[in-house]
Amino acid sequence: MGVLWLDEIGADDVDAVGGKGASLGELTGADLPVPSGFVVGAESYRSFLESTGIDEDLFSVVDVDVEDSAALSEAAERAQELILDAPLPAELRTEIIDAYGDLGDDPFVAVRSSATAEDLPDASFAGQQETFLNVTEADLLERVRECWASLFTRRAIYYRQKQGFDHSIVDIAVVVQRMVDADRSGVMFTSHPSTGDPRMVVESAWGLGEAVVSGSVSPDNYVVDREDGAVEEVTVADKKVMHVKDDETGETVERQVPEDRREERVLSDEHLDALVDLGEAVEEHYGTPQDVEWAMVDGEIHMLQSRPITTIEGESGSASEGALGDMDLDSQGAGADADTESGDERASATDGSGAVTDQSGGDPSDEVLVSGLGASPGKAGGTVTIVDQLDELDRVSEGDVIVTEMTMPDMVPAMKRAVGIVTDEGGMTSHAAIVSRELEVPAVVGTGGATATLEDGQAVTIDGERGMVVEGIADVEDEPAADETGAAGGGGAPVDTSPAERSKPMTATEVKVNLSIPEAAERAASTGADGVGLLRVEHMVTSLGKTPERYVEDHGERAYVDELVDGISTVADEFYPRPVRVRTLDAPTDEFRELEGGEDEPEEHNPMLGYRGIRRSLDRPESFRYELAAFRRLYEKGYDNVEIMFPLVNDAEDVLGARREMEAAGIDPDKRSWGAMIETPAAALCAEGLADAGVDFVSFGTNDLTQYTLAVDRNNSAVADRFDELHPAVLNLIGETIRACRERGVETSICGQAGSKPEMVEFLVDEGVTSISANADAVRDVQRRVERVEQRLLLESVR
Ligand code: PEP
Ligand code: MG
């Protein structure tokens, strides 16, 4: 029989209905408040594979080297195609639709994958398979099939291979269950997930539970002593977003939480009492601590899922350890394999600018740099690697501490190399938390701002139990910190934020700052920069985990525009009224391929020379318009300090195309400040045409301009020694462009990495550039350097 009702299922039916199905059946049988529903059994999936004859092909295409990411992507794509393209047997179609009909009144249902190995105690597959909410009869069959296909995502294939599960023995069932239109929801660990103490940890946010589980919101966190029922800790988070059902479309959409509820406590003591009762009943039923997903409607609790907690060690022991300052770092947390030697090696780390930074720490100090939720127990010392773009994952070496806004599925291989994970966002059940625990890598999640506070190359010690990151690692000799007075481009010198030191040199040439992560805006603004010379939106987009097209398809245009508006306004607020130059999207297709929906990207031989920047935007006006809609909204909200910059233009035609799109989006180019990057020799040579097309400014993207002028791939280490931004050909193009622009009243700027180099600064000021935009850590030095060159020019003019 293809379909089984929850009340016919028990815990022993894992093989037939998967872990989730069996658990829900078991809970239903125990009279716990589980929404009604049925399961499309694993046998249906198996007979679908066999009757359509795709099984052999399927298991052979996924037999690949999972560390080869191109092969892994192709395998995932091909496997999913096989499942999605094969016809569903007629008998099964009827059976599913009839069962849905028996739920009565055409309800919205949740359609959840339930893999047969998913919820076993040793393999929490971390929500890898699909779940669809608010599904109706019209989409039900397709959603079931998509659940099956989700057994073959990159992440799932990678996991199974690494965990030693044979692809062909893992089956998948699909749970179809009445939706609970929750006003608040969350998760609950019936015992502490790190220590196993009889203390319940409850996380909760407004609306549907998806936001908590996916980590897109930092939830409230409550700790309740199960023995006396006392609420021991309440940490109320700033909950910016919530997931709700859109009344019109029935779809799950992300909404802003109204201002007055963002920092309101989601759960009252009474709610917690009820959850504790429920948690105890579940734990008692199973006899082991459980990780429970729950939802509430008008105070009534529903259980959505329960599974054993996989991370409690028999002898966690760590609870008895002393304070951070006393920690024995030689006995690092489980899985933290950094040793003294690698710590020493890392004492000299390379920062983002390629400069060598001496950041060796001494003994860990008591100073807590950031704190958050202790999501995965263990302690480890390592060097911070801030990962803010997918292509930066390669920078993560054995023994690094990954510091990132929020981990994504594709980060798993890098997370394995790391000794610790620190995230800005997410709760105890976010992807970061679950995967870190399973990989036994200590993790601190939901710190709020580690990417802004911690620095690349910084030596830190992470305590994944107490949720803290402190300065320094053990067994590395004390050495003086990098000299802040070094020349510009020294890279890695700590940004000086002391008010006395911040007395900023007054220069006629403006000195601005480059920015990618909105969370870093405060730090960037504290440099005293005259504005933001380049705000890249790529991070805001790729951190959504989906290509823009897929994101809009899944969440709607409004949600996508909201994301952009949110990120940009965070920066524009921080700098107001100083100008913030925001660049429209410029990610190469190989980066998009890493994201969900990336399979639709064109396969390119050389993505650097390919479908990116303005050429992609003009070719996909629909997607481009979402970005421009975000700008329009920002202007409507009064952010008149926002400027628009177009990347990778070649000539006036590109610029006029962009201008037309701006107008079509309701932005008046004559009223707003807008411009173009000079990143190709063509753009430099066509500078007059760009000026005539109406740009207010141009900005030299020397990273690209150098690679295209010298034919040196900027990412290719084999030719890295030939990557010379100060090459006479590059300087010639820049000098000529500045001259052409000055004659036409167009401002000039630089926002490539070379803007942080003293020689480039001298050259540009000599040539009469309007502004220079540097990395946050170089702003101070650039200011001083500019001051000195300007004084020299003045002196020369009067001598
Ligand atoms: C550049 O090319 O110099 C630039 C600033 O853009 P990106 O590094 O994002 O390509
Ligand atoms: Mg560029």
Side-chain angles (χ1 to χ4, degrees), residues 73 77 154 410 545-551 588-603 616 620:
S73 290
E77 193 177 329
R154 286 161 47 102
D410 300 277
K546 300 181 179 184
T547 60
E549 289 78 10
R550 176 61 62 84
Y551 193 84
T589 49
D590 51 342
E591 270 175 43
F592 281 127
R593 286 189 81 76
E594 296 292 320
L595 305 176
E596 211 178 294
E599 60 277 8
D600 300 330
E601 289 294 311
E603 194 88 54
R616 178 189 179 99
R620 297 188 177 197

Side-chain angles (χ1 to χ4, degrees), residues 736-753:
E736 288 304 320
T737 305
I738 293 178
R739 248 181 301 288
C741 288
R742 286 182 67 165
E743 279 166 19
R744 288 163 180 77
V746 170
E747 290 181 13
T748 50
S749 186
I750 182 170
C751 58
Q753 185 64 36

Side-chain angles (χ1 to χ4, degrees), residues 583 586 612 677 679 701 703-704 714:
R583 187 178 70 184
D586 180 16
R612 54 174 286 213
M677 301 273 293
E679 290 168 294
N703 308 338
D704 279 320
R714 61 194 261 193

Side-chain angles (χ1 to χ4, degrees), residues 350-357 456 489-492 725 753 756-757 775 777-778:
T350 302
D351 76 356
S353 64
V356 172
T357 315
D456 239 2
E725 298 124 311
Q753 185 64 36
S756 304
K757 290 194 167 178
N775 299 333
D777 59 3

Side-chain angles (χ1 to χ4, degrees), residues 402-407 421-426 432 444-450:
I402 295 181
V403 178
T404 186
E405 188 183 358
M406 184 163 84
T407 68
I421 317 279
V422 182
T423 69
D424 289 349
E425 297 281 354
V444 177
V445 302
T447 58

Side-chain angles (χ1 to χ4, degrees), residues 601-678:
E601 289 294 311
E603 194 88 54
E604 292 191 297
H605 182 60
N606 189 341
M608 275 298 184
L609 292 174
Y611 198 53
R612 54 174 286 213
I614 200 67
R615 37 185 96 159
R616 178 189 179 99
S617 298
L618 293 177
D619 194 53
R620 297 188 177 197
E622 280 215 347
S623 302
F624 193 31
R625 277 172 206 161
Y626 305 140
E627 285 175 63
L628 295 171
F631 283 103
R632 180 170 168 181
R633 188 115 65 78
L634 287 158
Y635 292 136
E636 284 166 0
K637 286 167 152 239
Y639 288 106
D640 51 10
N641 59 332
V642 167
E643 305 179 333
I644 309 179
M645 179 156 69
F646 299 111
L648 215 73
V649 302
N650 263 344
D651 47 36
E653 200 181 322
D654 282 341
V655 170
L656 289 170
R659 185 191 169 113
R660 273 194 295 277
E661 288 300 332
M662 265 198 319
E663 283 166 340
I667 300 167
D668 184 345
D670 295 330
K671 293 216 176 100
R672 303 294 171 189
S673 176
W674 63 285
M677 301 273 293
I678 303 287

